[in-house]
């Protein structure tokens, strides 16, 4: 059927039309979409859709519920969301339960400051209430911010380490450690922050440069020097020590020497000094101990005797100014390196590794068992008291004459002056070294022996008997439990080292790092002298002081926590927390006091695998993945491993993924004050959360992630390209009904089949990358597919067919079938990364009731099959030739020979196999090149231009102006324009198209209202 009047040509062009706008307006549109997701309970819909599927558990490491989120916290949560969303789309049932770490020092300190002087008169439970309130407020804000990032999860039911159930589980896990014989109480030197007045875990200590006074001090030998060598008989002999912590000298109880080193006793004036022979010259030089000849020249001092350190074993010195002995001991820990002799503070593995690098000191180590780890160990061996005359706030106790009440750091210079006045100081100078600092308050910490609860790394089941400071057998806490669990328990370190080998670490260096961390880890001090945490549920007999640390009793207390939270510890009396009628096993008394220490927060968060994974029916123990920053090797990865072993003899995770840090463009740490911070809320306000997410996807998160305004601008440009790719496809699917109009694969045009074959490649790469947690590969694959394969090639060529063919023409439907599959797949593949935009694409796809309502309910696309190699190779060749043709067209354009490429005719002279190959595409070439005409001729011999491996042929390209007239409808040039009476201004192709349109004019709906084409450009 033919209409009476000719059609308006403009209206017969199929211009793209879609509700998917070019401008994203994410800052405005994302909150609207979020609200919609919340209203329909999208997270629950996903759970229903995946019900019964294999579980995949990413267990969230709890962020600290204190400050607002920054770029690092946002990145951490976004990458976790990539994992969870992609696993859901890989058809796992992958729930996400976010968590918050609520106890601990930063909150307590914040509350301390807020309460000020009021705090002194407040009961602990009131302070805890204020802490709880502060954490609640902070986690509310964090939740709001995390949700805004498009992260789906159980936000209305997260896990909180301060919830009743969690606190009860934490206490039960402590019972489990006790039951297995891992727990003991002992006076040991621990890192101690005198500012925060608490013990610190190794994970809470960081090293910074620090200047200390270094001193060389004389310890008079009290034993008969003739015992060392007859030459020393009757002499005034001193052992020289060197230390950088003069404040620990009042606690000195001994001097350690190496049994195998040679020591020299040399004369200086009327005194004799003993130092390691190897350090003799250095000490003499430093302390100016040389004799002078008549002319005042320095002479080498006279060595009276040489002997091995072992000879000094158990001889006695006197303390340089306090009236008590200082025992000479031998120990392998003594070295000739400088830092080693700063024994009291630098006995941690990290610093100890550097000990032998510089020669300093005297080879005789001042030993204060209450102030250093090595000192403690050797002091124990020699039966010395673990003496610590320093109180919680770092002040000397009244015990310390001359310096009582003085803070140890203030006392340092005073002790130096005091020793100088007494004539016991030989030399002093300032000494720069790495020194442990508190990670919270950044002040230098000290080593200080206090009674603490420990988890033993190397002994279990009461294997070792060690008396604590009160002379009690430390195993007395576990002897009551003789069940099989306790007796079969493997030491924690051994079990942990075994588990590390089983776990998968991404990147792989994680295993080595964790192994090293565990090899050197000292016993875990779990006591904290604070109130905001889970109290250590241990009682003491008021009469005989026997500690009650029994698993059944602890579980009884845990049941109270379950109902009342661990506030109960502060509200109730001991007898109200103990089972009724409980009496002391030791003396039968019925009065008890409560332990005042709380558990280390790392114990809290480490308990999460059991407290969360085992307590919720949608989760399971162990987790598939833990994903955190590198600091968690000391922290959460570590404490979780300990708890996993105590609870179930295995690691609580199968895979541990470590992400890098967020840094600025120069790789520097970001600081609010440094002006280089990129606050997530500002990015969201300006560009939208999807831009922040795309930034996370665009860099390899295994390394540090750089961010700046410029970097985010590049990400935004990348986003725009992805968006425009989707928009082109959506626009050209206007009027396409997938059910009605799809063309079967076998009937599709070859080029469309090629595009789908390329899509298949991408689907495979992206699927593998999601499996491997390599999100940057996903992004770069999709970006290249969009910009090169689609935008620069496929879409470029397709425009003519899509715009000018009759709407229902088979060739156009073939293209639309491909476009539909491409954009549907793009939306799915982008969904874990661009959560908002992918769903917006999804919403604008042609209606199809086989699709779920939201892209997040869908699965990742599946590759359709193999066997496309020949097709892909052919088109690779065609595009290779096309690249050359486009180059020639560009040259012709620059030479003003042509304007648009449609004004061109291309003469392609081709030799050999390539000619035979191109012959098969002869009618397609003008569309592939986007020119009006192509003439293909066979050429004999070899020409210079073009050609490369894989094909033996070569080609020569000549561009001329296309003959004929410009078609008013499609802008191609044709010699046949004017042949039609009805449409005199159009080419023969368009005449055919117009006739096809007219013949189907009973349903013209597909092109009634057209949108401006200008937006279709990619
Ligand atoms: Zn501190
Ligand atoms: Zn008792
Ligand atoms: Zn035309």
């Amino acid at each position: 059927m033919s209409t009476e009047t000719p059609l308006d040509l403009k209206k017969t062009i199929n211009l793209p039309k879609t509700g998917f706008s070019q401008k994203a307006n994410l800052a405005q549109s994302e909150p609207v979409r979020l609200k919609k997701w919340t209203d329909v309970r999208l997270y629950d819909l996903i759970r229903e859709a995946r019900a019964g599927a294999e579980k995949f558990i990413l267990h969230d490491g709890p962020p600290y519920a204190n400050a607002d989120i920054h770029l690092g916290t946002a990145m951490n949560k976004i990458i976790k969301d990539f994992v969870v969303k992609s696993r859901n789309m890989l058809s796992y049932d992958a729930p996400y339960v976010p968590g918050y770490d609520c106890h601990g020092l930063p909150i307590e300190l914040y509350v301390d400051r807020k309460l000020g002087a009021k705090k002194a008169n407040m009961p602990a439970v009131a302070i805890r209430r204020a802490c709880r309130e502060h954490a609640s407020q902070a986690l509310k804000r964090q939740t709001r911010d995390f949700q805004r990032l498009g992260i789906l999860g159980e936000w209305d039911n997260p896990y909180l380490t301060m919830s009743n159930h969690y606190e009860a589980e934490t206490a039960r896990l402590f019972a489990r450690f006790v039951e297995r014989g891992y727990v003991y109480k002992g006076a040991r030197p621990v890192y101690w922050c005198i500012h925060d007045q608490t013990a610190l875990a190794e994970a809470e200590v960081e090293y910074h440069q620090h200047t200390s006074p270094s001193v060389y001090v004389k310890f008079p030998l009290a034993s008969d020097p003739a015992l060392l060598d007859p030459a020393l008989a009757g002499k005034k002999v001193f052992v020289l020590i060197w230390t950088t912590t003069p404040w620990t000298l009042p606690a000195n109880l001994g001097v350690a020497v190496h049994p195998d080193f040679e020591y020299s006793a040399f004369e200086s004036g009327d005194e004799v000094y003993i130092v390691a022979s190897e350090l003799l010259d250095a000490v003499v030089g430093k302390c100016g101990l040389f004799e002078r000849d008549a002319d005042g020249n320095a002479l080498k001092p006279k060595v009276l005797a040489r002997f091995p350190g072992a000879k000094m074993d158990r001889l006695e010195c006197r303390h340089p100014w306090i009236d008590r002995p200082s025992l000479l001991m031998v120990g392998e820990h003594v070295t000739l390196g400088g830092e080693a002799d700063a024994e009291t503070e630098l006995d941690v593995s990290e610093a100890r590794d550097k000990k032998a690098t510089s020669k300093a000191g005297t080879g005789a180590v001042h030993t204060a068992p209450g102030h250093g780890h090595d000192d403690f160990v050797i002091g124990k061996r020699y039966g010395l008291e673990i003496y610590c005359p320093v109180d919680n706030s770092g002040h000397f106790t009244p015990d310390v004459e001359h310096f009582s009440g003085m803070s140890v750091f203030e006392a340092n210079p005073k002790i130096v002056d005091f020793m100088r006045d007494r004539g016991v100081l030989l030399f002093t100078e300032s000494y720069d070294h790495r020194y442990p600092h508190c990670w919270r308050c950044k002040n230098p910490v000290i080593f200080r022996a206090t009674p603490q609860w420990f988890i033993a790394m190397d002994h279990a089941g009461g294997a070792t008997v060690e008396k604590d400071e009160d002379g009690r057998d430390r195993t007395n806490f576990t002897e009551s439990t003789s069940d099989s669990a306790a007796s079969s328990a493997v030491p924690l370190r051994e079990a942990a080292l075994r588990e590390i080998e089983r776990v998968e670490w991404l990147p792989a260096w994680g295993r080595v790092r964790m192994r090293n961390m565990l090899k050197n880890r000292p016993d875990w001090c779990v006591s904290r002298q604070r109130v905001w945490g889970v109290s250590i549920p241990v009682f003491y007999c008021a009469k005989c002081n026997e500690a009650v640390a029994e698993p059944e009793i602890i579980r009884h207390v845990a049941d109270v926590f379950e109902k009342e939270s661990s506030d109960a510890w502060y509200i109730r009396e001991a007898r109200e927390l103990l089972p009724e009628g409980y009496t002391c096993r030791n003396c039968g008394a019925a009065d008890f006091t409560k332990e005042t220490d709380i558990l280390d927060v790392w114990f809290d968060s480490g308990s999460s695998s059991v407290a969360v994974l085992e307590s919720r029916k949608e989760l399971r123990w162990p987790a598939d993945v833990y994903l955190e920053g590198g600091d968690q090797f000391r922290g959460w990865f570590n404490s979780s491993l300990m708890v996993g072993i105590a609870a179930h003899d295995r690691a609580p995770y199968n895979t541990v993924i470590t992400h890098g840090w967020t840094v600025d463009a120069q790789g520097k740490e970001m600081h609010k004050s440094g002006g280089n911070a990129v606050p997530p809320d500002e990015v969201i306000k300006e560009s939208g959360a999807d831009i922040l997410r795309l930034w996370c996807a665009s860099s390899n998160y295994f390394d540090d992630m750089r961010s700046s305004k410029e970097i985010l601008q590049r990400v935004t440009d990348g986003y725009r390209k992805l968006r425009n790719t989707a928009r082109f496809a959506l626009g050209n699917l206007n009027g396409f009904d997938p059910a009605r109009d799809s063309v079967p694969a076998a009937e599709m045009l070859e080029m469309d089949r090629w595009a789908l074959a390329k899509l298949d490649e991408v689907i495979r790469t992206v699927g593998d990358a999601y499996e491997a947690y390599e999100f940057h590969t996903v992004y770069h694959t999709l970006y290249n597919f969009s910009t090169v394969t689609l935008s620069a090639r496929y879409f470029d060529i397709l425009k003519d067919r899509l715009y000018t063919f009759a709407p229902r023409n088979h060739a156009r439907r073939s293209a639309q079938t491909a476009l539909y599959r491409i954009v549907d797949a793009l939306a799915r593949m982008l969904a874990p990364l661009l959560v908002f935009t992918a769903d917006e694409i999804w919403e604008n796809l042609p209606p199809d009731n086989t699709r779920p309502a939201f892209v997040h309910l869908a699965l990742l696309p599946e590759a359709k099959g193999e066997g496309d190699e020949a097709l892909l190779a052919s088109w690779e060749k065609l595009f290779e030739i096309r690249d050359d043709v486009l180059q020639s067209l560009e040259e012709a354009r620059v030479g003003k020979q042509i304007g648009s490429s449609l004004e061109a005719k291309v003469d392609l002279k081709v030799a050999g196999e390539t000619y035979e190959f191109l012959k098969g595409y002869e009618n397609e070439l003008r569309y592939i090149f986007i020119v009006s005409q192509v003439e293909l001729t066979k050429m004999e011999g070899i020409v210079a231009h073009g050609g490369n491996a894989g094909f033996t042929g070569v080609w020569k390209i000549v561009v001329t102006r296309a003959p004929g007239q410009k078609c008013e409808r499609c802008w191609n040039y044709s010699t046949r324009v004017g042949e039609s009476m009805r449409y005199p201004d159009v080419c023969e192709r368009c005449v055919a198209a117009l006739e096809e349109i007219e013949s189907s004019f009973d349903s013209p709906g597909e092109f009634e209202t057209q949108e401006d084409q200008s937006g279709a450009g990619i």
Side-chain angles (χ1 to χ4, degrees), residues 340-628:
D341 293 336
E343 73 296 332
T344 48
E345 71 279 27
L346 289 166
D347 53 9
V348 204
S349 54
E350 191 179 339
R352 205 186 297 165
D353 291 342
K354 306 195 189 276
K355 61 164 62 166
T357 53
S358 66
K359 285 196 175 175
T362 62
V365 173
H366 143 60
T367 300
H371 289 300
H373 180 73
D374 288 339
D375 302 45
F376 171 80
V377 171
I378 194 171
K380 277 267 175 191
R381 184 142 40 87
Y382 279 83
L384 298 182
E385 188 190 343
I386 308 306
Y387 177 52
C388 175
V390 173
D391 70 11
N392 287 0
S393 64
H395 294 85
F396 283 116
T397 60
D399 223 25
V400 180
E401 217 188 323
H402 308 294
F403 307 106
S404 161
M406 209 177 276
S407 144
V408 295
F409 289 115
E410 278 168 34
N412 254 343
K414 302 220 159 68
I415 291 173
V416 173
D417 292 344
F418 178 84
M419 291 194 296
R420 189 182 290 115
D421 294 348
R422 291 265 167 148
V424 298
L425 178 73
L426 284 180
F427 181 70
T428 180
E429 65 183 339
S430 289
Y431 188 79
D432 288 329
H433 56 159
R434 278 159 53 76
Y435 188 91
H437 288 67
C438 171
W439 78 335
R440 302 287 191 203
C441 70
K442 310 297 176 195
N443 286 304
V445 302
I446 64 172
F447 259 103
R448 174 172 178 266
T450 52
Q452 306 282 342
W453 288 94
F454 287 89
I455 288 175
M457 292 301 297
D458 296 309
H459 306 290
T464 311
V465 176
E466 186 183 300
K467 303 284 182 193
D468 70 12
E469 58 168 2
D470 305 321
R472 288 182 304 205
D473 175 351
R474 82 180 204 188
T475 58
N476 68 345
F477 309 124
T478 52
E479 64 196 356
S480 58
T481 59
S482 56
D483 63 19
S484 57
S487 52
S488 68
V490 178
L492 274 174
R493 194 188 314 275
E494 188 187 322
L497 288 168
R498 178 197 70 214
E499 287 302 298
I500 289 169
E501 303 306 317
R502 268 195 339 102
V503 169
E504 181 191 16
W505 302 87
L506 289 177
W509 51 253
R511 175 173 292 124
V512 180
R513 181 132 179 231
M514 195 65 169
R515 211 187 275 144
N516 290 339
M517 202 60 84
L518 272 156
K519 271 188 187 152
N520 298 317
R521 171 176 188 155
D523 285 354
W524 181 9
C525 173
V526 292
S527 317
R528 293 294 181 273
Q529 290 67 44
R530 307 295 306 193
V531 300
W532 181 223
V534 177
S535 25
I536 294 179
V538 170
F539 302 87
Y540 298 96
C541 171
K543 194 171 162 207
C544 75
N545 206 27
E546 174 82 355
V548 179
E550 293 167 20
E552 319 82 88
I553 304 296
I554 297 171
R555 291 194 184 105
H556 177 82
V557 173
D559 292 344
V560 179
F561 290 179
E562 187 89 50
K563 293 189 206 91
E564 306 173 13
S565 90
S566 62
D567 284 353
W569 193 259
Y570 298 88
I571 295 167
R572 291 173 171 270
E573 300 291 335
R575 66 183 152 72
E576 298 173 312
L577 289 158
L578 282 160
E580 224 182 300
Y582 185 85
T583 53
C584 174
R585 282 169 186 273
N586 191 41
C587 74
D591 279 347
F592 295 89
T593 58
K594 294 173 288 182
E595 170 64 61
T596 53
D597 286 359
I598 58 165
L599 283 166
D600 176 14
V601 281
W602 293 108
F603 191 98
D604 283 28
S605 57
S607 302
S608 68
S609 75
V610 172
V612 179
L613 297 179
E614 290 192 340
S615 299
R616 297 190 180 220
K617 66 174 186 332
E618 73 275 28
L619 303 177
R620 65 145 156 72
W621 197 98
D624 292 287
V625 164
Y626 275 36
L627 192 168
E628 305 294 336

